[in-house]
Amino acid sequence: MRIRTDGDYAYREDAIERAADFYDCNKTKAVVSACEDVPRLVAAARQVLERDDLTHEQRQEIAETLSTRVTSFEVEKNVTVERE
């Protein structure tokens, strides 16, 4: 597999190098590691945001903290009123 890093895709080189620095490995292993980690991290973030012991404000703060340029988390607050 080849990843274009020329022209409009030059930012990818920086992202891959940051991943390699983070994982302390070569670029190929860094890309694979990130691909394995991201789905698990997103699932864990969703699980945290669904906890019942957090206030809406805490959920919003966590969502903002965990959001990135590519992946964003949003929290909605639903209120239901029933009348008889």
Side-chain angles (χ1 to χ4, degrees):
M1 174 184 304
R2 296 189 187 276
I3 299 174
R4 289 186 61 187
T5 58
D6 61 328
D8 290 342
Y9 302 106
Y11 71 93
R12 292 176 177 174
E13 184 69 32
D14 292 335
I16 293 168
E17 287 178 7
R18 282 193 308 274
D21 289 343
F22 175 80
Y23 288 109
D24 192 27
C25 62
N26 66 44
K27 294 178 192 178
T28 300
K29 184 169 178 158
V31 169
V32 172
S33 296
C35 290
E36 290 177 355
D37 282 352
V38 168
R40 289 184 179 138
L41 291 170
V42 169
R46 286 182 178 151
Q47 189 175 14
V48 168
L49 291 171
E50 292 172 356
R51 287 178 33 184
D52 291 335
D53 62 332
L54 298 173
T55 66
H56 181 71
E57 290 75 21
Q58 288 171 320
R59 286 186 180 116
Q60 283 182 311
E61 185 177 328
I62 292 167
E64 289 173 17
T65 300
L66 297 176
S67 292
T68 67
R69 182 180 62 82
V70 179
T71 304
S72 64
F73 295 91
E74 294 181 15
V75 177
E76 294 180 0
K77 185 176 185 177
N78 294 322
V79 176
T80 303
V81 177
E82 294 182 21
R83 285 180 45 181
E84 292 183 16

